[in-house]
Amino acid sequence: MKDNLPGLTEVQAAARRIGSSVNTTPVLRSRRLDAALGAELHFKCENLQRTGAFKIRGASNAVRSLDDAEAAAGVATHSSGNHGAALAAAASDRGITAHIVVPEGAVPSKLANIKRHGGRIIPCKPTLADRTRVLEEVVAESGATVIHPYNDPRIIAGQGTAGLELAGQVPGLDVVIVPVGGGGLISGCSIALKGMNPDIRVIGAEPAGADDAVRSLAAGEIIDDIDPDTIADGLRATIGPLTFALIREHVDRIVTMSDDEILAAMRRLWECLKIIVEPSSATVLAAAEQYRDELRGKRVGLILSGGNVDLDRIAFCARCGVG
C-alpha cells in the first residue's frame, strides 16, 4: 500500500478475506442492448449481492480486518442506506454491534434493510454537521471503530473485488463502466482492473445533479460545495481525499447524465434483463448510451451497483410509462 492508497495486492487480499461473506454475482447479457449499442455488454449484477448492493464487499473487508480488541467495541458509521445495511450485516457475521447514524428522510426500504440486518439505528437531522456530531457521540460512548462509507483503504479494497471478480468472469474486457458517488466502488475497481490490464479503460457514470467528481477533476482539487439534486440517491455523496487521488490516477473519463436519462435506462434494464435496479445502477447504461460511438465493437463491462428500490415510490413507472 503506497501513501495509504490500496493497490491490486490489497484488493486480492480482500477477495481472500471476504470470500465466505459475499456472493459471486452473475453477469447478464442482452442481445437487444448489444444490438442497440453495437457493443458486447456484460452486466455485473451487484443488485443480487447480499444486502442488495456491492457495499457488503467493503464492509466485510473492513470488519474482518479489525483485531479482536477493536471488534469487541463494535463498529459505527453514518449512512442513509446501503452502507449502513452492509456494515450491519458484516458486523452480524462477526457477532459484534453496528451503530448506524441515520438522517431523517432516509428511503424507507433502505432503512428497513438496515434493521433487517441487525443494525442499531440512531436518528439524526438530515445535515452533514448533525450526522458527524451524533456519530462522534456514539463513538465516545461505545468506543466503536468508525468505518467510513468510502474514504477508507479497507472499504476501497473490498469494493474493488467486484472488478476483480468481473475480470475473471469475462476475460478480455476493453472498457468497464462504474457508477460514481463517494468513489469507493470506482476507485477499488479501477485499481484492480488497471492492475491486471493497464490498457483497459475505466469510465465513471455520475448524475448531472451530483457531478462533484467531474468538477473536482476539472479543478484539480475536491469540489464539495454542491447541493446534490438527483434521483440516484446512492450517488449523492461527494468524493473524499483517497477516492479522489485514485480516480485521478486510474479513471479515464467520467460521463454525466440527467435524471430522465437515468430513469429511461432503468426501464430498459427492466425490459431487457428483467431485473429491477436502483437509479444509481442505471447510470452505467445511460453512460454507455452517451459513449456509444467509442464503445462500438468493444467488449464492455457494466457494474450494476445495487437493487434496493422502494417499489412504492418507484419513479420510472410514472415518468417513463411503465405499468
Side-chain angles (χ1 to χ4, degrees):
M1 189 180 299
K2 181 181 177 182
D3 299 327
N4 206 36
L5 297 177
L8 176 60
T9 299
E10 284 71 35
V11 177
Q12 291 169 329
R16 293 189 294 270
R17 188 176 293 120
I18 69 175
S20 61
S21 300
V22 302
N23 297 332
T24 298
T25 54
V27 176
L28 297 185
R29 300 287 311 281
S30 166
R31 293 180 181 178
R32 179 176 168 186
L33 290 174
D34 283 1
L37 272 75
E40 186 181 305
L41 306 179
H42 299 262
F43 294 89
K44 176 68 169 163
C45 294
E46 287 295 291
N47 56 305
L48 301 179
Q49 185 56 264
R50 279 189 67 199
T51 74
F54 73 94
K55 294 280 191 176
I56 188 65
R57 294 177 179 273
S60 292
N61 189 48
V63 169
R64 286 176 175 264
S65 296
L66 299 175
D67 62 36
D68 290 342
E70 291 174 313
V75 290
T77 195
H78 60 71
S79 170
S80 59
N82 289 338
H83 175 65
L87 191 61
S92 178
D93 288 346
R94 193 162 177 182
I96 63 177
T97 302
H99 309 272
I100 315 297
V101 176
V102 180
E104 298 169 359
V107 175
S109 62
K110 294 189 176 183
L111 188 63
N113 206 18
I114 295 171
K115 293 179 180 177
R116 186 179 306 118
H117 290 95
R120 174 184 173 240
I121 293 177
I122 303 95
C124 69
K125 295 178 181 177
T127 65
L128 181 58
D130 205 56
R131 286 165 71 143
T132 302
R133 178 187 63 79
V134 174
L135 180 60
E136 289 174 349
E137 291 175 354
V138 168
V139 170
E141 176 185 342
S142 65
T145 298
V146 175
I147 306 295
H148 193 275
Y150 50 88
N151 199 56
D152 181 313
R154 300 163 299 185
I155 290 288
I156 294 168
Q159 315 303 31
T161 63
L164 193 70
E165 194 172 284
L166 172 61
Q169 292 169 308
V170 189
L173 287 167
D174 299 300
V175 181
V176 175
I177 307 177
V178 188
V180 182
L185 180 61
I186 195 169
S187 295
C189 287
S190 66
I191 59 179
L193 294 164
K194 294 275 189 176
M196 292 184 291
N197 176 13
D199 295 326
I200 197 169
R201 292 182 61 79
V202 179
I203 306 300
E206 185 175 49
D211 62 348
D212 61 288
V214 166
R215 296 191 196 190
S216 297
L217 289 175
E221 60 182 1
I222 295 176
I223 304 297
D224 57 8
D225 59 341
I226 68 169
D227 184 16
D229 182 15
T230 175
I231 193 169
D233 61 285
L235 303 181
R236 291 174 186 160
T238 54
I239 56 176
L242 296 184
T243 56
F244 178 54
L246 290 166
I247 289 169
R248 289 184 74 181
E249 183 175 356
H250 298 295
V251 174
D252 295 281
R253 179 176 178 180
I254 296 180
V255 179
T256 62
M257 66 291 302
S258 69
D259 276 5
D260 283 345
E261 289 171 321
I262 292 170
L263 291 170
M266 191 175 170
R267 173 178 177 171
R268 276 188 287 280
L269 288 166
W270 179 80
E271 291 177 330
C272 298
L273 297 182
K274 304 307 178 190
I275 56 173
I276 293 292
V277 299
E278 297 176 37
S280 301
S281 295
T283 59
V284 295
L285 179 56
E289 290 171 336
Q290 285 195 30
Y291 200 55
R292 70 177 67 212
D293 290 343
E294 290 86 350
L295 297 182
R296 198 168 300 280
K298 298 289 197 302
R299 202 171 204 195
V300 184
L302 303 95
I303 297 186
L304 299 175
S305 53
N308 292 318
V309 179
D310 187 345
L311 294 177
D312 291 331
R313 300 169 59 187
I314 194 164
F316 75 78
C317 292
R319 292 173 62 176
C320 294
V322 175

